[in-house]
Amino acid sequence: MDVVWEHREAIALAFAYTVLLFLIAGVGSTILGTLLAGMRVGPIPVLRWAGAGYVTLVRNTPLVIVIIFFRYAAPKIDLKFNFIDVVIPTGAGDIRLNNIFAACTVGLTMYTAAFVCEALRSGINAVPLGQAEAARAVGMPFGGVMRHVVLPQAFRASIPPLANVQIALIKNTTVAGALGVAEAFVRMRGLINIDATARIPIFIAFAAIFVVLVEIISFAAHRLERRVRVA
Amino acid sequence: MTVQEESAAAPGGTGQPLVRLTGVQKHYGNLHVLKDIELDVARGEVVVVIGPSGAGKSTLCRAINRLETIDEGDIFLDGQPLPQEGKALARLRADVGMVFQSFNLFAHKTVLENVTLGPIKVRKKSKAEADKRGKELLDRVGVGHQAGKYPAQLSGGQQQRVAIARALAMDPKVMLFDEPTSALDPEMIKEVLDVMVDLAERGMTMIVVTHEMGFARTAANRVVFMADGAIVETADPETFFTNPESDRAKDFLGKILKH
């Protein structure tokens, strides 16, 4: 365990990348996924098809390929993230959010959004049709029906599957490690290189930290579920 | 609010019907659910639509604010044809109050919020103004003291009265009732019908699909009898209940009035 304790600051820094990837992609995928779900249940056929097409394409593609696309292929068609370069100084060294970090975040966001969309759609399907009809009957346009009546109720029904999606996301951030972001997985490999005899304790330590992070998400989801429960 | 000014400027209307359906046809696959519907409803008139289940009564009612589309024919509201989709349709629906069989109160909103959501989001009223009017309406239908509760905490009769208040809060030109008491216990039916009779007496234009013959007798100006998707007979309630013309209506009344 010594090697883990010795490098605790570096490990913390690595998990800071993990958490940042998760937070940005988590918020981004929630917003994008909500828009996609709105498109898929909306009255405009072109948008319905676009939403369904997006989900089919992205959900059925391995995450690595999605991220590699933004990391290596997208710059070839002038989709570059070079304008992003944020440095957050910490006691253990700088956290640097550069074009590689951005490409990975965008990939994670786009990939996860497809799953957020479907989780929300399951919630939307759980809202009785009469709710939307009543909202339409008081003269709300589609956007208002969704925003004020359907989505708030759909969200409640979607919390458990949405939590699943976000839990998958935080674990999927390790893929960014393979593409050059110094997140937890990269640090774990680094430590094993430093002290191969401590392989098992290193694995256990990193696994334990992931368990704790995921438990935090589960706990937050559980609290949220209780808070939005209505009578 | 222009809506009200217009109707105030022309009390009793200009002779033009408030709701007009001409040549309306609708099919569900092979099933012809609305056949050649011709119906005019005058301003201030209370029309009760009765008939056996599957007659197309609910479909007719829902077609008037386009919750159901129709295949052929025209529906006019206050002289304007029903818009197809989008903002114009939403505006039209704001002028048509709808009360559903299953209440359909917004489950995540309090009773008062149910009543004020439309006025605030659609009519763009201030919250204070909408709250004030909402409380008045809730008092009027007898559920003012429940304003802070959620729909699930109310009885069916109370929920339906809230639903009526929600529709009234939009100051509709016409109110559609789609079997408003069919999901209620017998003793709750009366409290809802009382509210509806009161509305009729205040001059609201109403189209009511119901099995409540008592309501049809006391409050209706006209009874429309539907069977198999068509309007079979139209008459004033007295004539219809004592001396129906068609065999279909005689048969129907014979069945329901016997027990």
Side-chain angles (χ1 to χ4, degrees):
Chain A
M1 272 323 257
D2 286 353
V3 64
V4 173
W5 185 247
E6 231 171 82
H7 294 89
R8 61 189 179 278
E9 286 193 341
I11 293 172
L13 195 63
F15 271 103
Y17 278 105
T18 299
V19 170
L20 279 172
L21 283 166
F22 164 71
L23 287 178
I24 299 170
V27 172
S29 63
T30 303
I31 294 168
L32 181 59
T34 306
L35 286 175
L36 285 166
M39 286 163 68
R40 287 206 71 176
V41 300
I44 303 169
V46 177
L47 292 182
R48 272 208 303 266
W49 296 330
Y54 180 98
V55 169
T56 307
L57 181 71
V58 177
R59 185 172 62 171
N60 299 355
T61 310
L63 173 62
V64 184
I65 292 179
V66 176
I67 294 186
I68 284 179
F69 173 82
F70 286 102
R71 173 79 175 83
Y72 295 112
K76 299 274 189 288
I77 52 168
D78 269 338
L79 185 61
K80 294 177 183 164
F81 302 99
N82 291 335
F83 59 93
I84 291 172
D85 197 4
V86 181
V87 178
I88 306 170
T90 71
D94 291 347
I95 295 174
R96 189 145 184 213
L97 310 182
N98 56 10
N99 61 324
I100 300 171
F101 179 88
C104 292
T105 309
V106 169
L108 283 167
T109 300
M110 306 246 333
Y111 179 80
T112 308
F115 294 90
V116 169
C117 166
E118 292 303 279
L120 272 178
R121 221 159 54 82
S122 75
I124 290 169
N125 289 342
V127 178
L129 185 61
Q131 294 286 309
E133 282 191 343
R136 282 153 69 199
V138 294
M140 280 192 211
F142 174 75
V145 174
M146 290 302 284
R147 193 161 69 241
H148 302 301
V149 176
V150 176
L151 282 177
Q153 297 185 63
F155 180 65
R156 191 175 4 145
S158 304
I159 292 174
L162 280 176
N164 265 347
V165 169
Q166 298 300 327
I167 286 167
L169 169 63
I170 198 166
K171 295 191 283 188
N172 283 342
T173 56
T174 49
V175 173
L179 293 155
V181 176
E183 50 69 71
F185 175 65
V186 171
R187 178 58 56 199
M188 187 179 83
R189 267 195 322 207
L191 290 191
I192 291 169
N193 282 341
I194 293 168
D195 185 356
T197 54
R199 204 170 265 166
I200 302 285
I202 290 169
F203 275 140
I204 290 171
F206 277 81
I209 295 171
F210 266 108
V211 167
V212 169
L213 289 175
V214 169
E215 272 309 301
I216 292 171
I217 301 172
S218 305
F219 179 74
H222 185 68
R223 287 293 298 268
L224 200 59
E225 217 175 307
R226 290 179 49 156
R227 232 182 62 187
V228 298
R229 184 179 299 161
V230 172
Chain B
M1 294 310 288
T2 49
V3 170
Q4 282 210 316
E5 283 154 23
E6 275 169 26
S7 41
T14 51
Q16 180 192 40
L18 183 57
V19 180
R20 158 165 276 180
L21 291 86
T22 59
V24 171
Q25 311 277 357
K26 182 177 176 71
H27 299 80
Y28 284 130
N30 287 328
L31 193 66
H32 200 166
V33 282
L34 292 179
K35 293 179 191 160
D36 291 319
I37 301 292
E38 304 282 338
L39 180 67
D40 283 357
V41 179
R43 215 174 286 274
E45 196 180 13
V46 177
V47 172
V48 167
V49 183
I50 62 174
S53 7
K57 308 181 299 288
S58 284
T59 310
L60 175 75
C61 187
R62 290 162 56 85
I64 294 171
N65 69 352
R66 219 170 193 284
L67 285 178
E68 299 280 351
T69 55
I70 54 173
D71 301 336
E72 274 174 59
D74 293 296
I75 300 176
F76 298 92
L77 189 88
D78 216 0
Q80 303 292 315
L82 285 201
Q84 293 292 307
E85 263 305 331
K87 291 237 160 62
L89 179 61
R91 253 197 307 281
L92 171 127
R93 283 180 176 141
D95 289 341
V96 179
M98 178 97 190
V99 176
F100 300 87
Q101 180 177 348
S102 47
F103 329 134
N104 293 348
L105 291 181
F106 305 133
H108 63 307
K109 301 246 176 228
T110 65
V111 164
L112 183 61
E113 285 166 349
N114 262 277
V115 179
T116 58
L117 187 67
I120 293 171
K121 299 299 176 193
V122 178
R123 296 276 192 235
K124 308 291 178 201
K125 284 192 187 175
S126 71
K127 190 177 177 301
E129 197 186 343
D131 279 355
K132 184 168 167 286
R133 171 102 168 105
K135 281 180 186 144
E136 279 169 20
L137 286 167
L138 289 174
D139 283 337
R140 185 167 137 196
V141 301
V143 285
H145 56 294
Q146 315 272 26
K149 290 192 179 168
Y150 284 93
Q153 296 169 296
L154 268 54
S155 73
Q158 290 170 332
Q159 289 192 49
Q160 194 61 299
R161 285 183 282 152
V162 174
I164 294 173
R166 174 175 70 181
L168 287 175
M170 298 301 289
D171 297 317
K173 292 178 181 173
V174 52
M175 290 272 285
L176 308 174
F177 292 84
D178 184 8
E179 301 202 20
T181 56
S182 297
L184 296 175
D185 292 341
E187 56 182 5
M188 290 175 185
I189 291 178
K190 185 176 178 301
E191 64 190 47
V192 172
L193 290 181
D194 286 347
V195 170
M196 290 168 61
V197 170
D198 174 60
L199 257 185
E201 282 168 357
R202 287 168 184 246
M204 175 60 75
T205 310
M206 295 162 65
I207 298 173
V208 184
V209 174
T210 188
H211 294 294
E212 296 299 326
M213 299 305 145
F215 175 80
R217 274 174 183 268
T218 44
N221 299 115
R222 200 146 50 105
V223 173
V224 169
F225 176 71
M226 283 184 81
D228 304 320
I231 294 179
V232 178
E233 190 169 340
T234 305
D236 65 274
E238 190 52 34
T239 312
F240 179 78
F241 286 110
T242 53
N243 191 17
E245 253 174 46
S246 61
D247 291 340
R248 195 73 184 78
K250 281 176 195 158
D251 179 53
F252 177 74
L253 288 174
K255 276 178 193 152
I256 57 161
L257 297 178
K258 239 167 222 161
H259 57 259

